[in-house]
Amino acid sequence: MKRREFLKISAALGAAGTMPTLLGGCAAKPLPGSGVVTTSPTICNMCFWQCAGTLYQEDGRPWKVVGHPDDPHCDGRLCTRGTGGIGAYLDPDRLRQPLLRVGKGGDQQFRAVSWEEAFDHIAQRMQAIAERHGKDRLALFSHGDGGNHFHRMLQAFGSHAYAHPSFAQCRGPRATAFALTYGESVGSPDRTDMGNSRCIVLIGSHIGENLHNSQVQSLARALDNGATLITVDPRFSVAASKSAHWLPIRPGTDIALLLAWMNVLINERLYDQDYVALHCNGFEQLVRHVQPFNPEWAYLETGIEPAKIRETARAMADAAPAALVHPGRHVTWYGDDTQRCRAIAILNALLGSWGRPGGFYSQEKVDLPEYPAPKPDKPATDWKAVLQPDFPLVGTGISNRLVERSVGADAFFKGWFVYATNLPMTLPGARDQIAAAAQSLDLVVVVDTMPAEITGFADVVLPECTYLERFDELRNKPERTPTLALRMPAFEPRYQSRPAWWMAKGIADRLGLGHYFPWQDLSEVLDWQLRQVGSSLDEMQKKGVKRFPRKGPIYFEPGRPIRFKTPSGKIELYSSLLADNGQDPLPRYTPPDRPPEGFFHLNYGRAPAHTFGRTINNPQLFELMPENAVWVHPSAAARLDIASGDYVALENPNGRRSNRVRVRVTERIRPDSVFLVHGFGHTDGRQRLARNVGADDADLMHNVKIDPIAGSTGMRASFVTLKRVGKGELT
Amino acid sequence: MIEEVLATARYNPKIDPTLGIWTWEISFYLFMGGMAAGIMLFAAWAVLSRKGDQLVFAHSRFALWAPVVLSLGMTTLFLDLEYKLHVFRFYTSLQATSPMSWGAWVLVLIYPLMIGQALSTLRQGYPMLAGLVNRVPGGGRVMRACEAQRRMIAWLVIPLAVCLGIYTGVLLSAFGARPFWNSGVLGLLFLISGMSTAAVLPILAGANPPERHFFEVVDIGLITAELVLIALLLINLATGGAQHIQALALVTGGQYTVPFWLWFVLPGLLVPVVFELVAARRYRWLGLTAAALVVYGGFMLRYLMVEIGQVSRWTDYAIQFDPQLLHRLVQ
Amino acid sequence: MTTYAMVIDTRTCIGCGDCVVACKNENKVPAGLNRDWVVEATRGEYPDLQTEFRSERCNHCGHATCVSSCPTGASHYWKDTNIVLVAEEKCTGCKACIAACPYDARLIMHPQGYVDKCTFCHHRVDQGLDPACVSSCPTHCMHFGMLDDRDSNVSRLLRERRHKVLLGETGNDPHVYYLL
Ligand SMILES: Nc1nc2c(c(=O)[nH]1)N[C@H]1C(S)=C(S)[C@@H](COP(=O)(O)OP(=O)(O)OC[C@H]3O[C@@H](n4cnc5c(=O)[nH]c(N)nc54)[C@H](O)[C@@H]3O)O[C@H]1N2
Ligand SMILES: Nc1nc2c(c(=O)[nH]1)N[C@H]1C(S)=C(S)[C@@H](COP(=O)(O)OP(=O)(O)OC[C@H]3O[C@@H](n4cnc5c(=O)[nH]c(N)nc54)[C@H](O)[C@@H]3O)O[C@H]1N2
Ligand code: SF4
Ligand code: SF4
Ligand code: SF4
Ligand code: SF4
Ligand code: SF4
Ligand SMILES: [Mo]
């Protein structure tokens, strides 16, 4: 018998719920808000931007969430998903009680258990793993606010390894590249000063579909102020449609374009000479390096006219230093991503935009002391050096690597905690590997709000309550203005769901590690912390958001040298660290793989209505966009004899087939590519709205390119072909 | 290429993907309304033309059919209302710009009149019924008064019945928002069609040969007029704006071409008029068939007009997502 | 007579649909029904393209054909304004107003059968607030105000920017404007 079969959380356990009446059939009268209205502060958790907002209830029933006017993340307005946040709370398909995998007559099943039983089981297995293999054999995968509590519990136990998919599947190459160049990362929220930019260059980043709130707002402000927008995207994205220049680049050739831009800026002496002289290192090497890469050369790679390359380079130079080449965010594309991000970082340095208005500002956060709880011991050995020695420049866990190190009887890891990340849809083409890892692991704990694909691999499923039902740590992010924001429960947790801090503390108690959580309720921690900075929980419950004064200037002072946190103390156009590590110290262009005959580039991205797969089942957002469609250019559609509204399955060269997906024939896509919005194609039948609608891009990715510097997974080198299917087939 | 898609899913019932507010109930009501108008007109004509001896059925029996026919129509109209309890609201105001409001009030005026008209024929046409009415207190007196004012009533009936007949068309044509309806011809077309369906009723009801012949001749004229009006309607559309031209395309190659020409114009107008012209006098069954086809054609006209009008629209947005999926929300 | 108008900047509208969700929440619009929606209109051929996003709703027409076709007076102008409302207690559900709207902006809403539609959030306007959709829009591309006031935001925008309305040729005198 298999040790761990993929389990669907069965209907019997889910206890069929009906749609809450609130969503159906309310009278128009009485007028909205004429009842008794109460409010409470929250921080949106519909994505990771963490906008502060206010939840409204009318006569004790959820009414609406709106943005907090004092919050720099949202400037008083939530995005589409944030506005639909109540749907996450109301979702009748939410996980309701702890579940335990049990063997039953040769079959495996989930049994609903009490929290005590779940905790006991977890503690027991953890101790068994520690005895047999060592205390450091548990890995944490986490993408969300509550993950820190599990991190603390695991560190206290002796397992320090963790990974956020927001590194190796998302921002890793950018963080690495900017740290190599400027000694600092771009941060989250991104420190882009778009509202003041005169020229913005978007390399792929599809702000507008990517709804990171203040990014969207500041881009709109820039457009209002007449900034020139240049968008490089193989697809006519929303941002492209707002652009003065759209460069429909051949997929995967961005470094060629970036090198050509540098070539023009340097050879036409359009770069910021004072800035480069004052702040940068390695300019001469760069000048020599870019000489061969003139626009004529780049044209052959990118398909973008030399004249257009020159024109756009000049437009940037005209606006500099208020010219921002946006660093992008999800940048794990073709495996040479750190190099591409380096090229972007260098281009910004040539424009002199780092530290300047309209470029990148410096961020500050509040000096918030940590609660006086005992610190877990430092590990004896550095797990990163053990597990990912080939990526010495990476300071965090590489999720795909941790998964690899969990497969097989002699694998390093013996147990997983998975907090708020749906690994089978998040790691490209890794479904089989995750299933194999689940086979060999002794313990898989999944903490989620929904029955997601990852819960099917769990031994123990712990249902977390949604953000509207819990306290979390204070939000203290680097920002333009240092700001604290509070998330507090507006409702009692529905069903038996509980907050992450409560679970982590409960497990720690079972393990005899309770003293690492020396408080009863997280609110005590928050109140203590707030009092150290002259506020209190009471004040924050009323205010929601509090701003604090800045300490330093937001931009560089003109003419004054800066000490950057790089080896040379300068902006490293030529990266000494890369050279030392045997990598290209200046960005090198590698031509990408081309699709085989009959195949298309598999392009993917965001849609404003959804966050990955986590919102598809949210009734309010499902209603806005119930499925994804595959975008196909009319010429390709004609060749394949398909039309808008037809259903097809996508198939990769290995014969992996997607769920059926609707066709949208549109001019907005290159003839050599198809496009899918990521997050659809849920297979877990317990998500009654989302089940079996649309196609999942992750499962089709067959040609994952590992970045040699960041270890991240390049996801854009995969190809698909389209197979016609009848309606109703494959559902 | 122009691609206009709904970026957010929208599937408002009765509006998407095309308007679907009215179905057979309204078609049937318009059909019966027109027919009732026609009945009243012929019954009045029989009185005013002093051809009572020739048009026996029309003169003495036909008038009673009008309230029956209209009431059946009113019933389906009522069935169509979404908020039936509020039906009285039609009579708490008169909305000068709303044909439907006018229609509601015309019905109020026309009912007494059509009942008066029927009462004035009752003793001649339906002695049994007259006996019943007589038994109602004051019934006999009213009946006799109606008989006395029979010509007067007939004179009043003419304009009001014309109003009723035209109204059934104006009800639709007033909707500028539905290009296919939006033609001045529609009122007249529905009046003529209503008269045509009324004209064949005596034939179906077994009127004597001279009366049958009279109505056949009248009907040939009416159908001819109808064909001309339909041609005008289509020409009107062809010379209209982009929306009208698109609306016309629905019956000239579009999705309603076959129903319109093959199920309506051919069997509902052309076949019966040919039968009436060539052979109805020789073969009674042909006359009956023609009459039945005219009734069928009258209904089809309303049915198709109501349908096609709703499909024709000013906006035309493609739907990106499978609307069926939204049903999951309410399951 | 006060004329309210909504002015939406297509240069910054990104088609995100926040306005749609905000409306549904604010006005408790039942699942499956929409008072507003977003249209994406693309012209041209790759790579020479233009895409426009439009958040659409009732136009609160100066010559509202839905009002003029309503047989009971249920469809009416709110106070002395161009805001078109439906008085639920007068509505028979005859659907004449639905047929009369060239924008297909109406919807049958209540299970009991009265017609419902965008109200320009008059309950908020009454309190001096912007409609819910306007105040949620993350790009600030929606504006609301009085046309009669020359100094209002909307008057100024319409004076300064090229704009259009939808289906002006119907003569309905719509009051949702799109800046180009
Ligand atoms: N609504 C919504 N917003 C989100 C999220 C969400 O789930 N939903 N997720 C958030 C998160 S975590 C992240 S990381 C960000 C990601 O958002 P971004 O950083 O903006 O993501 P990208 O992958 O850069 O952008 C995808 C775009 O890249 C284009 N593209 C594809 N191949 C190439 C290529 O070879 N070259 C170039 N130049 N462009 C290419 C695609 O056509 C598409 O338009 O979005 C955030 N915002
Ligand atoms: N194929 C493909 N893969 C990708 C991407 C892509 O575009 N295409 N994008 C990449 C990027 S940029 C990123 S950042 C990652 C994101 O990857 P993930 O963070 O894994 O993305 P989600 O699908 O949002 O999965 C989050 C899980 O958290 C659960 N959840 C939501 N709210 C809560 C909560 O409050 N508590 C708990 N405990 N659980 C919660 C959800 O139910 C869901 O199962 O994916 C990456 N992977
Ligand atoms: S960007 Fe949108 S979804 Fe993300 S936190 Fe902000 S409001 Fe919520
Ligand atoms: S919320 Fe604003 S930007 Fe988004 S679709 Fe609506 S009008 Fe456009
Ligand atoms: S848009 Fe339609 S519903 Fe709104 S006022 Fe105009 S006609 Fe009436
Ligand atoms: S459905 Fe109601 S609001 Fe509409 S026309 Fe009829 S009575 Fe008036
Ligand atoms: S004005 Fe109010 S009712 Fe109308 S669409 Fe906007 S939010 Fe909805
Ligand atoms: Mo991400």
Side-chain angles (χ1 to χ4, degrees), chain C residues 8 13-19 38 55 137-139 141-142:
Chain C
I8 306 177
C13 174
I14 52 173
C16 68
D18 201 359
C19 44
V38 180
S55 171
C137 170
T139 63
C141 75
M142 307 176 85

Side-chain angles (χ1 to χ4, degrees), chain A residues 81 170 203-207 209-212 232-235 237 249 251-252 254 328-330 333-334 603-604 606-608 610-612 716:
Chain A
R81 302 158 296 154
C170 179
I203 315 278
S205 41
H206 54 336
I207 300 173
E209 284 144 299
N210 154 0
L211 270 198
H212 275 164
V232 184
D233 197 311
R235 186 178 61 98
S237 62
I249 195 164
D254 297 80
R329 191 164 170 111
H330 168 66
W333 297 358
Y334 295 94
N603 189 359
Y604 60 87
R606 315 276 172 254
H610 289 291
T611 304
F612 313 113
R716 292 241 165 96

Side-chain angles (χ1 to χ4, degrees), chain B residues 65-145:
Chain B
W65 286 42
V68 174
V69 163
L70 189 62
S71 300
L72 282 175
M74 297 279 286
T75 308
T76 62
L77 176 65
F78 177 73
L79 286 181
D80 175 72
L81 295 183
E82 304 278 331
Y83 209 147
K84 300 194 173 44
L85 280 179
H86 285 175
V87 64
F88 71 94
R89 286 295 185 178
F90 280 106
Y91 298 106
T92 54
S93 72
L94 169 63
Q95 298 295 322
T97 53
S98 162
M100 209 181 254
S101 180
W102 280 102
W105 287 105
V106 164
L107 291 173
V108 168
L109 294 180
I110 220 161
Y111 251 108
L113 199 62
M114 72 194 337
I115 287 168
Q117 193 185 18
L119 284 177
S120 73
T121 64
L122 220 50
R123 279 202 297 183
Q124 249 180 331
Y126 301 91
M128 275 260 292
L129 275 181
L132 285 178
V133 173
N134 248 333
R135 244 173 274 159
V136 177
R141 221 176 51 228
V142 174
M143 206 155 52
R144 273 184 298 280

Side-chain angles (χ1 to χ4, degrees), chain A residues 388-401:
Chain A
Q388 43 195 54
D390 36 351
F391 302 107
L393 296 172
V394 172
T396 183
I398 298 169
S399 35
N400 33 303
R401 173 53 64 85

Side-chain angles (χ1 to χ4, degrees), chain A residues 45 48 143 165-166 169-171 329-330 332 419-423 425-428 447-454 462 464-467 470 500 604-606 611-615 678-679 682 687 696-699 701 715-716:
Chain A
N45 190 41
F48 310 95
H143 196 197
S166 48
Q169 281 67 49
C170 179
R171 281 181 284 146
R329 191 164 170 111
H330 168 66
T332 52
Y419 177 83
T421 173
N422 190 16
L423 296 175
M425 283 176 90
T426 299
L427 298 180
V447 187
D448 209 300
T449 52
M450 295 293 297
E453 282 61 32
I454 186 67
L462 303 180
E464 185 167 37
C465 53
T466 65
Y467 70 103
R470 68 187 198 228
Y604 60 87
R606 315 276 172 254
T611 304
F612 313 113
R614 62 159 61 196
T615 57
H678 169 64
H682 277 292
Q687 298 203 14
D696 172 24
D697 54 334
D699 196 42
M701 291 171 179
M715 305 182 174
R716 292 241 165 96

